[in-house]
Amino acid sequence: MRFFVIVILTLLYTPLYAQPSELPREKKKVVLGVVEFPPLVIKNIDSPGCHGDAVTISRTILELVGYKVEVECPPPARLFERIRKGQVDITMNVKGTKALANTVTFIEKPFSYLSIVLMTNSKVENNKTVAAIRGYDYVGLRQELENKGYTFFDMANSSDAIQLFQFGRTSHLATYEAPYLYHIKRNSNNIDDLIVSMRKDIPTFLAISNASAKKEELESKLSRLLALSDSQTVIEQVQTQNNEN
C-alpha cells in the first residue's frame, strides 16, 4: 500500500526533471493532535502517547505527503486550545464541535462515521444528570438536553465519563458508541438494563488549524491525495489500497 501511494505522490508532487539539489533535504514537521477515543485512539499504559487505527492511518497519510509527524494526545480542552494557537497543525473531529468553530478547515472526505448515543440507566428515575466529555457539544445533543433541564457532569475524556456513569453517579451518558463498547468489554462491573434513548450517526473529518503555518499546503496535499479514490471514507480508502496491494 505504501509503495502504491508513494509512486502516485511522487508523480503529483515532484517536478519533472528536478535535480537532486532541488528536492527537499529534510521533511517538515507536522503536529497531529488526537484525543483518547478507543478503539481508534488508545492511550498508552506504560508510556506517553497513544496508538490505534486512527493514529496509524493519519500518520501514514501525512508521511506520504512529505511530513515528519509528531503525535500529541492531550485532553480535548487542551487540544482545542493548542489548535486555536496553531501549536497543533491537524486533528480529526466532527463539524459541529463548537470549540473548533472558525478555528479549523475540514478536508471534505469523511475520515470515518461515528454514532453518538445517549445511554440511560433505567433503574434511576427522575434524574436528569448526564456524564459527558468537557468541551464536546455532541452535534447539538448537549444544547438539546440542557434546554430540557438536564445537568451535565463534564469529565476530561471518554473513559472518565463512562466510569462516572457506570458508578451510578449520573442517570445518563452522552458518548460515542465505539469508546463505550470498548470500555464495557473490558470491565465486569457494568450496569444492566441500559437503554439507548437517542442515537445520531455523523461523519468525522481531518481538520487543519487555521492558525497553522502549514495550513494551505496541508489542505492542498491532503485534498489531492484523498481525491485519488472514490471510497466514501479515508479509512476505507487506505484499507482498499492495502487490499489491492
Side-chain angles (χ1 to χ4, degrees):
M1 184 268 291
R2 288 177 64 88
F3 175 78
F4 172 75
V5 181
I6 287 171
V7 169
I8 292 176
L9 289 174
T10 300
L11 295 175
L12 284 174
Y13 301 120
T14 303
L16 293 175
Y17 311 114
Q19 299 299 316
S21 61
E22 297 173 350
L23 298 177
R25 295 182 179 181
E26 185 177 348
K27 290 184 177 180
K28 296 180 181 179
K29 185 185 79 172
V30 66
V31 179
L32 167 68
V34 292
V35 296
E36 182 183 12
F37 194 94
L40 292 176
V41 179
I42 303 170
K43 277 279 192 180
N44 296 340
I45 297 176
D46 301 324
S47 63
C50 53
H51 64 281
D53 285 349
V55 179
T56 300
I57 290 173
S58 299
R59 180 194 292 275
T60 299
I61 290 172
L62 290 166
E63 288 176 347
L64 288 172
V65 293
Y67 294 100
K68 179 180 179 181
V69 183
E70 179 180 308
V71 180
E72 295 187 2
C73 313
R78 175 63 175 158
L79 174 62
F80 297 154
E81 178 185 358
R82 289 181 60 75
I83 291 171
R84 285 193 292 270
K85 294 179 178 178
Q87 296 167 337
V88 166
D89 299 292
I90 186 167
T91 186
M92 61 195 73
N93 214 297
V94 300
K95 290 187 175 181
T97 301
K98 288 185 177 180
L100 291 178
N102 302 316
T103 64
V104 296
T105 296
F106 291 96
I107 301 297
E108 282 308 310
K109 175 175 284 190
F111 187 87
S112 64
Y113 280 86
L114 306 173
S115 294
I116 294 176
V117 293
L118 181 67
M119 307 296 299
T120 300
N121 185 346
S122 60
K123 295 181 179 179
V124 179
E125 297 181 359
N126 302 320
N127 187 337
K128 292 186 173 183
T129 54
V130 186
I133 303 174
R134 184 178 299 111
Y136 273 39
D137 178 64
Y138 299 99
V139 195
L141 178 60
R142 178 187 290 269
Q143 188 64 54
E144 181 179 341
L145 293 175
E146 286 180 339
N147 291 343
K148 294 179 180 179
Y150 286 77
T151 300
F152 276 74
F153 288 78
D154 290 327
M155 308 301 290
N157 54 55
S158 61
S159 295
D160 289 349
I162 291 169
Q163 288 178 12
L164 188 71
F165 175 68
Q166 297 285 38
F167 291 155
R169 299 288 300 277
T170 66
S171 56
H172 299 79
L173 169 69
T175 182
Y176 287 91
E177 188 172 39
Y180 179 76
L181 294 177
Y182 181 88
H183 178 88
I184 64 174
K185 286 179 181 178
R186 287 157 177 77
N187 292 273
S188 57
N189 58 336
N190 295 311
I191 299 173
D192 297 326
D193 301 324
L194 290 180
I195 299 172
V196 179
S197 50
M198 191 177 299
R199 176 189 296 272
K200 293 184 179 182
D201 295 323
I202 56 170
T204 182
F205 299 85
L206 291 170
I208 304 169
S209 167
N210 289 339
S212 169
K214 307 176 187 70
K215 175 185 178 294
E216 299 299 332
E217 62 183 63
L218 270 170
E219 183 179 6
S220 175
K221 289 182 177 181
L222 290 174
S223 296
R224 292 173 69 184
L225 172 61
L226 299 182
L228 295 174
S229 168
D230 293 329
S231 299
Q232 290 188 346
T233 67
V234 174
I235 288 181
E236 288 176 1
Q237 179 172 345
V238 173
Q239 290 173 338
T240 299
Q241 291 171 344
N242 188 41
N243 292 336
E244 290 176 350
N245 292 273

